[in-house]
Amino acid sequence: MDDIVGFGIAPDGKYLMTCSNKTDLTVWDARGNVLEKIDTFLMSTYNAKVSPCGKFIGACGFTSDVPLWEVKFSRSGEFQSVQKAFDLSGHKSGIYDFAFDQDSSKTVTVCKDGTWKIYSTNIEYQKGEMPRCLLTGTYEPTSAAALVAITPSGDVVAIANGKSVYLYNAATGTLEGSIEDVCSGQISALQFDSMGKYLLICADRYVRIFHNIPGYKVALECAEQKLKQPKMSAAMRERLEMQIAENEAFLKKYQ
């Protein structure tokens, strides 16, 4: 029997997705009926996910591309089909993992070759528009399969590599911090909370929760840059100044 390496539920509950470690990806309705079966054509599949918007299903594996499919429903809510939308291309080796931001407008991938990429996936793929790579970063690969997560706002990327996690600025690719030797075994999952304030790490039968310090740093830098803009309403300036003060106060506690 094949192992299940991917599972997801659409936010509106219209469908579920399961994927084996071979090339079999299945879409189900909430009652367990098969809606569609897909061949991922990845030779060996490492992971599969449903996007937060529920519109897409993606899979990654042995090949250097991440295929994404659109799950289509009629206006009345009836299932129609699963159709190929686009590929995330540009890596030179197999893709260990991938993740979406909150509105599925950005997707991050992590590759065996020691690189990770952020793509713009807010595109008109129906008209032939392809995803654009926004940034390519690097990490030190190990024998363990790397995992990746991105904050809901898309400003910080976390990569789990064996027993440690590394956090990067999603705009510059700069390493902003690390959590070394989190566990005695190997990290099995990581994810940011819905606000991007915490990073949750699964390992050694525990879920460990960490403050997303790099996220506060990046938010502070962004607010300071916006505050320099010449044309700004008094209300906006006040909100930015309040945000800066809150982030500075928080970071001061952990210096």
Side-chain angles (χ1 to χ4, degrees):
M1 183 177 292
D2 298 337
D3 292 334
I4 297 298
V5 296
F7 173 79
I9 304 175
D12 57 12
K14 287 184 178 179
Y15 71 88
L16 298 85
M17 177 277 299
T18 59
C19 187
S20 77
N21 61 344
K22 301 300 183 182
T23 63
D24 305 312
L25 188 152
T26 306
V27 179
W28 315 74
D29 67 15
R31 296 182 178 179
N33 300 308
V34 174
L35 298 177
E36 189 127 355
K37 289 188 175 182
I38 301 169
D39 190 333
T40 65
F41 294 105
L42 295 173
M43 297 180 66
S44 179
T45 306
Y46 301 156
N47 209 335
K49 297 179 181 180
V50 176
S51 66
C53 65
K55 191 174 183 178
F56 301 112
I57 289 172
C60 64
F62 185 77
T63 67
S64 58
D65 296 331
V66 178
L68 280 89
W69 297 267
E70 180 184 359
V71 184
K72 293 187 174 184
F73 286 84
S74 66
R75 292 184 178 180
S76 61
E78 295 296 322
F79 172 76
Q80 293 182 318
S81 64
V82 180
Q83 296 185 358
K84 184 67 173 292
F86 51 85
D87 290 315
L88 303 179
S89 304
H91 282 293
K92 297 180 180 179
S93 187
I95 311 298
Y96 280 134
D97 194 17
F98 67 101
F100 301 95
D101 69 352
Q102 188 172 40
D103 61 2
S104 309
S105 63
K106 291 181 181 178
T107 308
V108 60
T109 58
V110 62
C111 181
K112 289 181 179 180
D113 64 8
T115 64
W116 55 273
K117 294 179 181 289
I118 298 178
Y119 297 85
S120 172
T121 44
N122 183 22
I123 58 173
E124 294 184 283
Y125 53 90
Q126 303 92 337
K127 297 181 180 179
E129 186 178 358
M130 298 300 292
R132 180 167 56 93
C133 181
L134 301 175
L135 178 72
T136 298
T138 60
Y139 75 101
E140 288 294 331
T142 65
S143 58
L147 301 173
V148 69
I150 188 169
T151 52
S153 59
D155 54 8
V156 175
V157 170
I159 294 178
N161 196 8
K163 301 178 182 180
S164 302
V165 179
Y166 303 91
L167 296 104
Y168 300 86
N169 185 317
T172 64
T174 305
L175 179 65
E176 297 285 351
S178 63
I179 309 171
E180 304 283 348
D181 297 325
V182 176
C183 53
S184 58
Q186 184 173 319
I187 296 170
S188 57
L190 79 164
Q191 182 177 326
F192 289 98
D193 77 299
S194 60
M195 298 297 291
K197 293 184 176 181
Y198 303 100
L199 178 64
L200 291 76
I201 300 172
C202 296
D204 300 337
R205 297 185 296 175
Y206 295 96
V207 177
R208 296 173 171 87
I209 303 174
F210 297 86
H211 287 290
N212 178 19
I213 303 296
Y216 284 90
K217 291 180 180 178
V218 172
L220 176 60
E221 293 171 2
C222 183
E224 289 175 337
Q225 288 297 320
K226 289 180 179 179
L227 198 60
K228 295 177 182 179
Q229 297 177 3
K231 295 181 180 181
M232 183 181 300
S233 66
M236 176 61 75
R237 182 172 295 276
E238 184 179 351
R239 284 197 295 270
L240 286 172
E241 290 174 344
M242 185 179 299
Q243 183 180 353
I244 289 171
E246 290 175 352
N247 286 335
E248 286 179 337
F250 177 86
L251 291 171
K252 188 176 181 180
K253 293 193 299 183
Y254 294 95
Q255 287 180 345

